[in-house]
Amino acid sequence: LSNEKLKLVEIDKFPREFTLVNGLPDVGLVGAIAASYMVKNLKMWLAGYLDSDLMPPVLVFHDEKPMMPVRLYAGESIVVLVSEVAIPPDLMPELAKVVIEWASGKGVKRVVTLGGIPVPNRIDIEKPLVVAAAILEEDRKFLKDLRLEVLKEGFLSGMYALMAKECMRRNIPCITLLAQSHLNYPDPGAAASVLEALSKMLGFPVDVKPLLDEEEEIRLKLRELMKRTMSAVRAAPKGYEHTPPLMYA
Amino acid sequence: MEDEFFDLFRRIRREVDRMFREMEEMFIYPMFDLRSRSLEPLVDVREEVDEIVVTVDLPYVRSKEDIDVRFSGGQLIIEARMCRHVRYPVMGGCRDAEFNRFRTSIPLPNDVEIEGAKAVFRRGILEVRIPRRVRRFRVKVE
């Protein structure tokens, strides 16, 4: 599947029915850390990639093998979108369109986006809270039944909003899980919180202890990706999450 | 008059240098220095009206005794010792280099009062607050 700017290429099989989990780099790298932890721990296989001339001109090598930096991993009933590069702001709308259009054609059951909501007092928070934003009424009820906090008033912005808007246009169930996080430091603690919420939602067991045990190593290793992601985040119109919406327009 | 002009010129030049340096750091340099065997930490600088707030992420640094914060030549210099040596891939992962410290220098604006600076280290994050010289004037509301 492709449009002028971006193409999605399948290189292996995908499950017939699946939940698509987006974990692209954004504030605190929350979604990216959580998604890569899933890929590592849920025995997923590389099934596709996204490519564009507008992506950063890089090719990633793992175990001596070349890989595209933005990839899709498939499992029994989950597909995870991960990226090892910051997504250029100009490419974000196209990426959301291509991914959701592709997922829609594949019969996706639900789209879940993982991310962080920056809070200035993150340093004082032991266990970050998670707030969930849902497009459909039945999903909001589903989240409340799971005792997850549902976004009542406020904005989604950046990549999270683009994914949710594409799903809304196509009436695809979409949930965005956002954990309280650092803005510009990798935040494995926040990633653990969104993974626990996702585990409740999808019913798969997830042990976040190894992730929390590796917290310092992750903070150390992801400094460069965090720095590049912040330059993309600053260029994108983000930061609306703390803005109260206009009520009576 | 001449002194004032050159002082202003020097200040502008320092600010421009600072901005260029931030841009260069963002796009070009790797976040380690093989000569000094140090890693560059992630830094956030917030400029408030009455103070500059610098926070630095310092994983593997255990206590305030391992951190050195000083001012020199208009820069805030932060060095911190990690509790263990970490191996970090360089040369595309073909070689590992060993590091056990962080080091960074942060250019500061001219109007800071370094004597009033305070630093706190909590949960792996160092926060340095440096007051700025502020002319205060209360406006009477009629």
Side-chain angles (χ1 to χ4, degrees), chain A residues 205-219:
Chain A
V206 62
D207 177 13
V208 295
K209 191 176 177 299
L211 177 63
L212 295 172
D213 288 346
E214 284 179 16
E215 184 185 347
E216 288 184 298
E217 193 65 19
I218 293 168
R219 279 163 55 200

Side-chain angles (χ1 to χ4, degrees), chain B residues 45-59:
Chain B
V45 180
R46 210 170 67 236
E47 298 202 14
E48 307 279 349
V49 176
D50 55 353
E51 64 178 356
I52 304 282
V53 184
V54 178
T55 58
V56 189
D57 192 27
L58 298 171

